[in-house]
Amino acid sequence: MIYHVEALNVVKRFGPTTALDHAGITIAEGETHALVGRNGAGKSTLVSILTGLQRPDGGEVRFAGRPAPALADRDAWRRRVACVYQKSTIIPALTVAENLFLNRQGRWIDWRGLRARARDLLATYEVDVDAETLAGDLGVEQRQLVEIARALSFGATFIILDEPTARLDGPAIERLFTRMRALREQGVTMMYISHHLDEVYEICQSVTVFRDARQVMTRPVAGLPHDELVSAMTGEAAVHYEARPRTPGQNIVIKAENLSLSGRFHDVGLTVRSGEVVGLAGSASSGKVGLAETLAGLRRPDTGRVEVNGSHPRSGDVPAFLAAGLGFVPEDRHREGFVPLLSVAENATVPIARRLGRFGTVSPARRRAEAAHLIRTLDIKTEGPDQPVGDLSGGNAQKVVFARALVDDPKALVVINPTAGVDVKSKLALLGAVEDAVERGAGAVVVSDELDDLRICDRVLVMYHGRIVRDVPRGWTDHELVAVMEGIEQ
Amino acid sequence: MARFRDLTLVPVIVLLLAVGAVLDPIFLTSGNLTNILQQQAAISLVVLAEAMILISGKFDLSLESTVGMAPALAVMLVVPAAAGGFGLGLPAVLVIPLCLLVGAAVGAFNGFLIIRFQLSAFVVTLAMLIIVHGLQLGPTEGKTLFQLPDSILYLGSATWLGLPAAIWIAAVLFGAGSLGLGYLRLGRSLYAIGGNADAARAAGIRVDRVLWGVFVLGGVLAALAGILETGRLGAIGAGQGVGWIFMVFAAAVIGGVSMDGGKGTILGALTGVLVIGLVQNILTLKGVSGFWQPVVYGGIILVALMISRIAGGKAQD
Amino acid sequence: MARFRDLTLVPVIVLLLAVGAVLDPIFLTSGNLTNILQQQAAISLVVLAEAMILISGKFDLSLESTVGMAPALAVMLVVPAAAGGFGLGLPAVLVIPLCLLVGAAVGAFNGFLIIRFQLSAFVVTLAMLIIVHGLQLGPTEGKTLFQLPDSILYLGSATWLGLPAAIWIAAVLFGAGSLGLGYLRLGRSLYAIGGNADAARAAGIRVDRVLWGVFVLGGVLAALAGILETGRLGAIGAGQGVGWIFMVFAAAVIGGVSMDGGKGTILGALTGVLVIGLVQNILTLKGVSGFWQPVVYGGIILVALMISRIAGGKAQD
Amino acid sequence: DGGGAAPSGGGGGKVGIDHPRADSDFWNSYMKYVDTLSGELKVDRLNPTNSQNDVSKLVGNVQALTGQGAKAIIMAPQDTGAVATTLQQLENKKIPVVSVDTRPDKGRVFMVVRADNRAYGTKACEFLGEKLGGKGKVVQLQGALGSINGRDRSEAFTECMKTRFPGVTVFSEPTEWEGSKAASMLQTRLEQHPDIKGVYMHAGGVHLAPTLQVLRTKGLLVPPQDAGHVFVVSNDGIPQEFEAIRKGEIDATVSQPADLYARYALFYAKAATEGKTFKPGPTDHGSTIIELPNGLEDQLPAPLVTKDNVDDQNLWGNQVK
Ligand SMILES: Nc1ncnc2c1ncn2[C@@H]1O[C@H](COP(=O)(O)OP(=O)(O)OP(=O)(O)O)[C@@H](O)[C@H]1O
Ligand SMILES: Nc1ncnc2c1ncn2[C@@H]1O[C@H](COP(=O)(O)OP(=O)(O)OP(=O)(O)O)[C@@H](O)[C@H]1O
Ligand SMILES: [Mg+2]
Ligand SMILES: [Mg+2]
């Protein structure tokens, strides 16, 4: 049988790290093939090899039985494969329209025509973005939608999607799937990477599992038990989330009244007690992220103020919020999450640097020890505390951001999309880490587009058009919560 | 909106015109304004070159040395030894092609080191700034070349339709640059490369080849600037172009071109050049003391920068 | 591994020492080596300042003007009008504190414009390069200040334990800088800010305050460099420090400090200074013709850059 | 000729002045003299411009001055080739040019007012050559090799040494008019050749203090009678050089007459606006006018100042305060 895409015995090393160790994948014509594996398993590395961005150290890639084109021949690659990369390939200083048609605008650009085509394209994929805005002004989510629309618009017969849904909310994911089904009907082959295994079951026909840089399993999805898939990824039996019972304490750790930020949210009030996890949910543009960033001190509200752990840090003054006992996981890890050139240890320990030595010094040994501990508890896959975070896989970088939020034993936690791009096992670990912190007496706000993340919450505040419309206690079903979020049920 | 971001300096230019007119009756005469344009014509070509290089995310300090060295070397190749040449006896008509060729060669060498060897553009072109200037000083032994072939003098001194040819040339090239960067796929690819080279590469843009081309074009424009300057001055001194590069950067950046790449327009860079030209002219007309002139001059650049910041609304980098 | 990345220039230094020793028997004498260090002491402080500023992701061109202006202004504040001063009659012992204060003020003003107004660091400090130099030219009317208080001459000309004081001062400051950036919380925060200012802010680092401090410290170091240079030269000319900034950047960048921020070490910058000092010394000893000197000099910088690229293994920016 | 008498009733016109640079002691004194003497000589002048050592600025400044109605121009083009076109244009407009300190290679000039820079080099060479008895090693701290004055001094000095004192070895150091480079190069050279016995500095303003500082730290700043004395000849004639000569720290300097430059530049410019002309031959102020291919040149005296004549009140360096 001739496969549409084959990667055989691929080896790729980055210095001491082996990202792919004789791994491979074979994808039949017209199927949607999932690639799953834990963070750092080598998925994105395979993507860069399948799209001709990197040369494998060994092994080969074949399209429809023929060897892949030379690395320099980008046009040939682009005819064979389109891709949504895990790392953004949007160019911030250009408009959305131009980003969509980058390098295929025609020799002379007809701007009016280009904009019209861009609007059509955006409309086709139901992306609610003005074609003339600068891509840099878009939110993470909108940016992701633009990338997806671009990749799908090439008319390539093979499309790779590397964690396209990590930053999308439910309806957007549904729209993407509708699109993918239509493409499959047209005979397009797809490779789909996600840490949401239910999506794999929903959209894919077969699945390949990578573990520790090797291919460990390839199976049709139909009839594959969920637990078996998870244990193939993790190499051990699957563990399920179990609700931990809690009773909130009396201390109020986060309190806000009359908070407003024009264009984002209005007149919002909430209190979070120690020993309590409060969820913030809402569909796109509901204002939940803006609110969370205000609670963390990143934004200065137009009215109202935030009380953290009994003190009133000056709004917009992040260090004051952190000093008041706040831990924070930002929405976009690349922008506010980590310093790529600095090591895992340094990134993770910035908030406690003052405790790692005397007279303003930082002892590297103590920093490394502290980091080693975090690496163990959060299960970060890295060469060691000294590896730059920029070299980590996406999910592991997210864990470093988490480590930074937890390192100072915060009294209040604000985490935004905490498990974006994190594998199933690590997801439990990260959410467990939030719950551990809460058991130690912290109060937490969890903002997420993923309902799974919200399961740890004692109650979920649902936002709609910038206002908190409902306080949903534990025990909700997906259907109920989504109905509130979509404003169907008030 | 986006269209007008290039033109944040227009109010500054209007202000300078008004101030100039009040300060000196000569200022708004067509003669004086023509002078300003002519004086800025040569340096504006270097600004054009630098703007393109900056937009594609790179850096070239060596352009200023090419302004002197390219015409000097070209002239030495064609004039007899008695006039300070190498005495090769090449035909004089070749002087302009040779000059542009020398500029292209410097650009190509810069590109080679920066792109192939992945060396720091700043230090490579800094070293080249020194080396290229040395390649003028060495053969000329620091002497001024003043027996020049007529052809190299023509462009910088001729008048076409009542305006100096240099102004026409600069205008046409700025027009071409503006259209090219606005409407050509190749031109747009500079923004993509400067904005995110990896993404540009993933989108199939031949990043290395385009960058190389930009460096070569930059060298050619600097050489052409040298030709215009040579015609305007009537000789090639050892200091031709020396010290320009700072003004070139200042013009480009106050004109809205980002030092971080991917941002800015050719039209914006042009407004930057005009601001600098107007300031210099006003300072000259008023005869501000040479000692204090730098303070006034630098102060005005700061003010222009602030206005372009306020009008542009965004933090600069 | 990471430890040695700073020291990619060490083989270049060894090579230069070997070449120098072969070319001239004087070269390896302790007298000559001391001279090299003394000659580089003042500029090395500016490199130290620039390295810190670059590591925190900013840029300062105006340091070179501070090298001349700060001591000149300080001297004019204390010497009588007959010696070219303002005739304020301030006590002469204040000259060094005043000089450092002036440097700090320039740094603070730079920081103010760049951080508060979010203006482009390149253009702000370019304008300030011009303005600060003008603030020296204006009051001195371009004259060299010859009659200096002894205190300002002392540091640059004294000898401590058989070595020029300037060498000790530079050594101590480089040691402090290296330790500070390696082991102080504040020092480490420069790397975080230069690497990703938003992330640094979200991690609780007071980015603006730290950056401001870095600019002020940079100004103070440049003023101190001015004091050392004044002592070495015995007078303050209008050109003191002028033209240094390119060499400063070259030294920092070939020493491994990135122009993009967040990368590099103080020790690396020091090796960059040493390379430049050795090259200059060898060229002087060999008496290479002044006309061709730039070509040799620039060529050696390129070679050093390549070696540091090959030894460092990573693309530069 | 007509001296500086008659106030211009008719015929005259505004004089445009462009100064070459604002960062050297010599030119600063010149600018001061221009200010004071233009009152004394009743010269009607426009605001002076300053081309800051950049010929392309000079061209712009001259355009601005003629735009403002200058009827004669005083300039000091430091790049003598690159003003050719400008001179051509001025000639077309019938605006006479007085060139101070430098002699343009091409293009009409009404009068060149300068002392011979080659003569500076030769005088320095003769002085040093004799003091050293025609043998030994000397260092020449050059200006910028791209500047005509630096090159003239340098070539004349080297040539004279080669022909008249072949026993003297000359080390030429290109300092770009920078004190810092001068100090480093002299220091290195003295390390290499401790038996250096003479120094010729192209510019006292920038080279004097660094040279003295280096000699002092090397213990070479000793009286002329001492065997270890290094003979130093400077150039410019600023007061600090005279001071150093009096103290015996340096031995001589060539006084470049800043005052005469200013006085006769203004004088000839004014004369030109009044339609006066001049002929080659001796003048009433102790100089000679010579004929050039492209105009005339008044060669002003540039005396060598030594301990013997350092207190001469006619030297400009003794008049400034
Ligand atoms: N440029 C690089 N330099 C060094 N190491 C790298 C680089 N890119 C990837 N790696 C390493 O290769 C391994 C595989 O990374 P990869 O990005 O392929 O993982 P992934 O499976 O996509 O993980 P995730 O699910 O978190 O995205 C990781 O250990 C990572 O640290
Ligand atoms: N940086 C920004 N500047 C201006 N408006 C913004 C910015 N970021 C987001 N917005 C807009 O503010 C509104 C609320 O956004 P916010 O991110 O707080 O909501 P959200 O619930 O997180 O939405 P989403 O799920 O789409 O991220 C939206 O209309 C969004 O487009
Ligand atoms: Mg990945
Ligand atoms: Mg959001």
Side-chain angles (χ1 to χ4, degrees):
Chain A
M1 170 175 184
I2 290 187
Y3 290 98
H4 188 165
V5 182
E6 292 168 283
L8 306 169
N9 277 322
V10 176
V11 180
K12 181 75 193 173
R13 293 185 204 88
F14 297 105
T17 313
T18 303
L20 290 172
D21 182 7
H22 298 280
I25 194 167
T26 50
I27 304 176
E29 177 111 31
E31 74 169 344
T32 303
H33 192 113
L35 174 59
V36 298
R38 299 201 55 192
N39 297 130
K43 304 180 293 295
S44 300
T45 306
L46 182 68
V47 171
S48 69
I49 286 166
L50 281 178
T51 55
L53 287 189
Q54 283 183 336
R55 187 190 304 281
D57 297 328
E60 67 169 328
V61 174
R62 303 171 76 86
F63 292 103
R66 278 191 292 274
L71 224 53
D73 191 356
R74 289 298 309 161
D75 288 338
W77 281 95
R78 268 154 50 98
R79 280 194 299 277
R80 285 169 178 76
V81 52
C83 182
V84 175
Y85 293 95
Q86 185 175 19
K87 243 200 201 136
S88 173
T89 58
I90 288 288
I91 293 164
L94 300 184
T95 62
V96 169
E98 203 172 357
N99 266 292
L100 285 172
F101 292 100
L102 193 62
N103 203 32
R104 42 185 187 136
Q105 308 103 321
R107 189 171 298 274
W108 271 102
I109 300 170
D110 160 23
W111 282 106
R112 190 192 290 265
L114 185 75
R115 279 194 292 270
R117 280 198 289 158
R119 273 194 289 269
D120 286 349
L121 182 60
L122 292 169
T124 317
Y125 295 95
E126 297 179 51
V127 181
D128 182 21
V129 167
D130 179 0
E132 282 180 68
T133 43
L134 290 185
D137 292 342
L138 299 181
V140 233
E141 175 175 346
Q142 293 168 316
R143 240 184 275 180
Q144 186 72 357
L145 291 172
V146 170
E147 297 224 34
I148 293 169
R150 174 167 72 183
L152 300 189
S153 71
F154 272 99
T157 53
F158 175 47
I159 298 173
I160 300 177
L161 298 135
D162 191 352
E163 300 194 32
T165 54
R167 297 183 175 124
L168 300 187
D169 66 356
I173 293 174
E174 265 321 308
R175 284 197 290 274
L176 172 64
F177 285 179
T178 313
R179 204 65 227 168
M180 285 173 69
R181 286 192 193 98
L183 286 170
R184 192 164 72 84
E185 272 155 29
Q186 293 159 24
V188 174
T189 309
M190 284 175 277
M191 183 170 113
Y192 183 81
I193 300 177
S194 177
H195 291 295
H196 302 141
L197 298 184
D198 44 339
E199 294 174 5
V200 170
Y201 283 95
E202 187 178 344
I203 195 81
C204 301
Q205 286 79 56
S206 33
V207 55
T208 292
V209 179
F210 276 15
R211 187 170 77 223
D212 294 336
R214 291 167 199 271
Q215 177 188 9
V216 294
M217 180 176 96
T218 297
R219 288 266 288 274
V221 168
L224 173 66
H226 191 280
D227 284 1
E228 200 176 317
L229 182 57
V230 172
S231 57
M233 286 168 61
T234 59
E236 47 194 75
V239 196
H240 291 278
Y241 173 72
E242 280 171 34
R244 302 193 210 171
R246 273 188 298 266
T247 36
Q250 286 311 307
N251 287 350
I252 294 177
V253 292
I254 298 181
K255 182 172 170 188
E257 276 168 7
N258 301 328
L259 276 191
S260 300
L261 182 61
S262 84
R264 308 296 291 270
F265 53 85
H266 325 275
D267 200 14
V268 170
L270 83 167
T271 50
V272 180
R273 293 171 190 283
S274 62
E276 183 185 38
V277 185
V278 175
L280 263 186
S283 59
S285 304
S286 60
K288 58 185 186 299
V289 171
L291 175 59
E293 288 176 348
T294 310
L295 293 178
L298 217 57
R299 294 184 184 281
R300 199 186 296 268
D302 299 331
T303 67
R305 63 202 299 208
V306 180
E307 183 185 311
V308 176
N309 209 15
S311 68
H312 286 99
R314 204 163 55 84
S315 53
D317 182 358
V318 184
F321 275 74
L322 299 195
L326 185 102
F328 174 53
V329 175
E331 180 186 27
D332 185 350
R333 61 171 169 260
H334 291 286
R335 203 166 64 205
E336 281 143 354
F338 59 83
V339 183
L341 292 169
L342 288 187
S343 67
V344 171
E346 285 217 66
N347 268 288
T349 58
V350 172
I352 55 158
R354 82 194 102 87
R355 284 199 266 116
L356 295 178
R358 275 186 293 174
F359 312 120
T361 61
V362 179
S363 144
R366 286 176 64 183
R367 181 168 65 208
R368 224 172 280 128
E370 193 74 38
H373 170 70
L374 288 163
I375 289 170
R376 244 178 294 114
T377 43
L378 292 176
D379 192 18
I380 301 171
K381 187 173 187 312
T382 165
E383 282 164 27
D386 292 329
Q387 191 179 20
V389 177
D391 288 352
L392 295 187
S393 80
N396 284 302
Q398 178 73 8
K399 292 186 197 174
V400 174
V401 180
F402 232 87
R404 187 184 79 187
L406 294 175
V407 70
D408 202 13
D409 205 6
K411 286 282 155 273
L413 256 182
V414 174
V415 299
I416 306 177
N417 289 343
T419 61
V422 171
D423 69 54
V424 272
K425 189 171 174 222
S426 308
K427 203 176 271 188
L428 292 183
L430 291 185
L431 294 174
V434 173
E435 296 203 86
D436 288 345
V438 169
E439 269 159 30
R440 289 195 300 269
V445 175
V446 176
V447 181
S448 184
D449 290 322
E450 281 185 43
L451 299 184
D452 278 352
D453 295 350
L454 298 173
R455 298 220 183 275
I456 63 165
C457 300
D458 298 300
R459 56 196 175 98
V460 177
L461 303 174
V462 179
M463 293 187 71
Y464 188 72
H465 285 323
R467 291 176 196 282
I468 294 180
V469 293
R470 273 281 283 279
D471 185 341
V472 185
R474 219 174 201 171
W476 39 266
T477 65
D478 290 8
H479 175 76
E480 284 166 17
L481 198 62
V482 170
V484 182
M485 282 161 52
E486 295 300 315
I488 298 166
E489 182 204 318
Q490 284 279 334
Chain B
M1 249 312 285
R3 297 250 55 131
F4 300 120
R5 237 186 331 223
D6 325 343
L7 303 174
T8 51
L9 278 188
V10 171
V12 178
I13 292 177
V14 172
L15 191 77
L16 284 172
L17 287 175
V19 168
V22 170
L23 288 181
D24 199 305
I26 293 295
F27 180 74
L28 270 190
T29 59
S30 76
N32 188 53
L33 294 179
T34 310
N35 283 348
I36 298 177
L37 292 180
Q38 192 196 354
Q39 284 156 22
Q40 295 304 107
I43 201 171
S44 78
L45 296 191
V46 184
V47 174
L48 175 61
E50 195 69 71
M52 290 194 302
I53 295 171
L54 284 175
I55 286 172
S56 40
K58 293 291 172 186
F59 217 90
D60 193 350
L61 297 168
S62 70
L63 294 176
E64 73 159 41
S65 298
T66 305
V67 170
M69 179 275 232
L73 220 60
V75 165
M76 293 185 76
L77 286 169
V78 302
V79 299
F86 297 124
L88 297 183
L90 292 178
V93 291
L94 284 184
V95 67
I96 288 183
L98 279 172
C99 174
L100 300 180
L101 210 66
V102 171
V106 174
F109 189 64
N110 279 330
F112 175 71
L113 292 176
I114 294 165
I115 299 160
R116 279 299 147 95
F117 280 91
Q118 299 182 295
L119 300 177
S120 152
F122 185 89
V123 187
V124 164
T125 59
L126 170 55
M128 287 296 287
L129 168 100
I130 301 170
I131 292 175
V132 171
H133 188 58
L135 289 180
Q136 176 180 2
L137 276 189
T140 61
E141 302 199 312
K143 289 205 190 70
T144 302
L145 295 167
F146 53 90
Q147 294 183 40
L148 309 180
D150 287 340
S151 57
I152 204 170
L153 291 171
Y154 175 73
L155 289 178
S157 55
T159 305
W160 296 343
L161 306 178
L163 277 183
I167 300 182
W168 289 111
I169 293 173
V172 166
L173 287 174
F174 266 86
S178 196
L179 288 177
L181 260 66
Y183 292 93
L184 267 187
R185 190 175 68 206
L186 190 63
R188 297 310 295 173
S189 72
L190 299 191
Y191 289 91
I193 294 171
N196 184 344
D198 286 335
R201 200 169 277 123
I205 293 170
R206 295 172 188 284
V207 173
D208 290 359
R209 202 178 292 181
V210 174
L211 280 179
W212 207 330
V214 171
F215 274 108
V216 171
L217 184 57
V220 171
L221 282 172
L224 182 57
I227 293 175
L228 296 188
E229 188 72 356
T230 302
R232 185 164 80 95
L233 302 182
I236 307 171
Q240 182 161 308
V242 171
W244 283 18
I245 202 69
F246 274 151
M247 278 310 114
V248 166
F249 274 99
V253 177
I254 63 176
V257 177
S258 161
M259 303 273 300
D260 283 356
K263 251 183 278 184
T265 63
I266 297 303
L267 228 57
L270 180 62
T271 60
V273 176
L274 292 178
V275 165
I276 297 222
L278 290 173
V279 171
Q280 281 176 343
N281 186 258
I282 293 176
L283 290 183
T284 303
L285 285 181
K286 287 316 293 170
V288 174
S289 140
F291 305 122
W292 290 102
Q293 210 162 341
V295 178
V296 180
Y297 189 42
I300 293 177
I301 292 182
L302 276 187
V303 171
L305 192 66
M306 282 191 204
I307 295 183
S308 104
R309 159 83 178 80
I310 291 163
K314 287 218 175 175
Q316 298 165 332
D317 31 40
Chain C
M1 252 307 288
R3 297 246 54 125
F4 300 119
R5 236 182 336 213
D6 325 342
L7 303 176
T8 52
L9 278 188
V10 171
V12 178
I13 292 177
V14 172
L15 191 75
L16 284 171
L17 287 174
V19 168
V22 170
L23 288 181
D24 200 303
I26 290 297
F27 179 77
L28 272 189
T29 59
S30 76
N32 188 54
L33 294 178
T34 309
N35 284 349
I36 298 177
L37 292 180
Q38 192 196 354
Q39 287 156 20
Q40 294 304 107
I43 200 171
S44 78
L45 296 191
V46 185
V47 173
L48 174 61
E50 195 69 71
M52 289 194 303
I53 294 172
L54 284 176
I55 286 172
S56 42
K58 293 290 174 189
F59 216 89
D60 193 349
L61 297 169
S62 70
L63 295 177
E64 73 159 40
S65 298
T66 305
V67 170
M69 182 275 236
L73 221 60
V75 165
M76 293 185 75
L77 286 169
V78 302
V79 298
F86 297 123
L88 297 182
L90 292 178
V93 291
L94 285 184
V95 67
I96 287 182
L98 279 172
C99 175
L100 300 180
L101 211 66
V102 170
V106 173
F109 188 66
N110 279 331
F112 175 70
L113 291 176
I114 294 166
I115 297 160
R116 279 297 146 97
F117 281 91
Q118 298 182 295
L119 299 178
S120 151
F122 185 89
V123 188
V124 164
T125 58
L126 170 55
M128 287 295 287
L129 167 100
I130 302 171
I131 293 175
V132 170
H133 189 57
L135 289 179
Q136 175 180 2
L137 279 188
T140 60
E141 304 198 311
K143 288 210 196 68
T144 303
L145 294 167
F146 282 96
Q147 297 183 39
L148 309 180
D150 286 341
S151 59
I152 203 170
L153 289 172
Y154 176 72
L155 289 179
S157 55
T159 305
W160 296 341
L161 306 178
L163 275 184
I167 299 182
W168 289 112
I169 292 173
V172 167
L173 288 173
F174 266 86
S178 192
L179 289 177
L181 259 68
Y183 296 98
L184 274 188
R185 193 169 78 227
L186 196 63
R188 295 311 299 171
S189 73
L190 298 192
Y191 287 91
I193 293 171
N196 182 349
D198 285 332
R201 196 171 281 122
I205 293 171
R206 296 189 179 277
V207 174
D208 290 0
R209 202 177 291 181
V210 174
L211 279 179
W212 208 331
V214 170
F215 274 108
V216 171
L217 184 56
V220 171
L221 282 172
L224 182 57
I227 294 175
L228 296 189
E229 187 71 356
T230 302
R232 184 167 80 96
L233 303 183
I236 306 173
Q240 182 161 309
V242 171
W244 282 20
I245 201 69
F246 272 151
M247 277 311 114
V248 167
F249 274 99
V253 177
I254 63 176
V257 177
S258 162
M259 303 273 299
D260 285 353
K263 233 189 294 185
T265 63
I266 297 303
L267 227 56
L270 180 62
T271 60
V273 177
L274 291 179
V275 166
I276 297 220
L278 290 174
V279 171
Q280 283 175 341
N281 184 259
I282 293 175
L283 288 183
T284 304
L285 282 180
K286 285 316 293 172
V288 174
S289 144
F291 301 118
W292 289 103
Q293 213 158 358
V295 177
V296 181
Y297 188 41
I300 294 176
I301 292 181
L302 277 186
V303 172
L305 192 65
M306 284 193 207
I307 295 183
S308 102
R309 160 80 179 81
I310 292 165
K314 286 219 177 177
Q316 299 166 333
D317 27 42
Chain D
D1 59 59
S8 52
K14 289 188 189 303
V15 174
I17 305 169
D18 182 70
H19 293 316
R21 56 194 304 160
D23 58 356
S24 95
D25 296 86
F26 172 77
W27 284 109
N28 290 317
S29 303
Y30 164 80
M31 282 152 68
K32 271 235 178 86
Y33 281 120
V34 168
D35 272 350
T36 49
L37 290 173
S38 53
E40 185 182 314
L41 299 176
K42 302 207 173 54
V43 175
D44 182 14
R45 57 172 191 151
L46 295 163
N47 278 330
T49 57
N50 194 308
S51 52
Q52 289 165 336
N53 214 15
D54 178 351
V55 68
S56 113
K57 281 216 183 74
L58 175 102
V59 174
N61 290 348
V62 169
Q63 277 178 339
L65 291 171
T66 50
Q68 287 171 297
K71 292 284 172 268
I73 299 277
I74 298 173
M75 61 164 87
Q78 302 290 290
D79 183 333
T80 51
V83 287
T85 313
T86 308
L87 292 178
Q88 184 63 50
Q89 284 160 0
L90 290 172
E91 189 185 349
N92 294 346
K93 291 186 189 158
K94 307 232 177 319
I95 297 175
V97 172
V98 177
S99 174
V100 180
D101 186 48
T102 54
R103 179 196 293 169
D105 299 306
K106 223 170 102 181
R108 191 93 213 137
V109 285
F110 181 77
M111 186 66 74
V112 175
V113 174
R114 78 189 283 247
D116 187 357
N117 271 278
R118 293 189 59 89
Y120 301 173
T122 311
K123 279 181 181 160
C125 154
E126 284 163 354
F127 181 86
L128 276 181
E130 275 158 26
K131 289 286 179 199
L132 266 59
K135 58 183 190 314
K137 296 171 179 169
V138 300
V139 169
Q140 170 181 219
L141 297 175
Q142 301 166 298
L145 296 173
S147 90
I148 176 81
N149 286 345
R151 220 168 43 227
D152 273 358
R153 291 170 203 184
S154 183
E155 278 174 7
F157 183 81
T158 320
E159 248 172 60
C160 154
M161 278 295 181
K162 206 178 276 166
T163 52
R164 311 256 315 265
F165 306 100
V168 175
T169 316
V170 179
F171 299 102
S172 295
E173 320 291 351
T175 73
E176 301 293 324
W177 306 119
E178 283 172 34
S180 174
K181 285 215 175 84
S184 300
M185 287 172 164
L186 183 60
Q187 189 184 34
T188 302
R189 197 62 77 203
L190 278 168
E191 191 71 40
Q192 192 180 27
H193 299 282
D195 52 346
I196 280 169
K197 280 284 168 279
V199 178
Y200 171 40
M201 320 187 280
H202 278 196
V206 287
H207 292 152
L208 176 65
T211 300
L212 294 182
Q213 201 76 343
V214 170
L215 293 178
R216 190 172 294 127
T217 46
K218 292 256 177 211
L220 295 172
L221 212 54
V222 290
Q225 304 80 14
D226 195 302
H229 181 75
V230 175
F231 287 93
V232 181
V233 184
S234 188
N235 206 106
D236 282 0
I238 58 172
Q240 286 78 13
E241 291 169 60
F242 293 176
E243 205 46 50
I245 290 175
R246 288 187 193 107
K247 285 196 211 149
E249 291 173 337
I250 69 171
D251 303 273
T253 185
V254 182
S255 171
Q256 179 164 253
D259 55 339
L260 299 184
Y261 274 25
R263 177 178 294 276
Y264 289 100
L266 290 165
F267 167 74
Y268 285 117
K270 184 167 187 235
T273 60
E274 290 161 354
K276 293 193 183 119
T277 55
F278 298 88
K279 279 194 284 297
T283 64
D284 59 357
H285 48 269
S287 68
T288 328
I289 293 181
I290 62 162
E291 176 103 47
L292 302 174
N294 52 346
L296 299 171
E297 174 170 320
D298 187 352
Q299 293 199 310
L300 299 171
L304 185 74
V305 182
T306 60
K307 206 156 187 121
D308 305 329
N309 60 348
V310 67
D311 291 320
D312 181 348
Q313 282 311 306
N314 287 324
L315 294 168
W316 71 273
N318 282 330
Q319 295 170 7
V320 285
K321 237 317 76 18

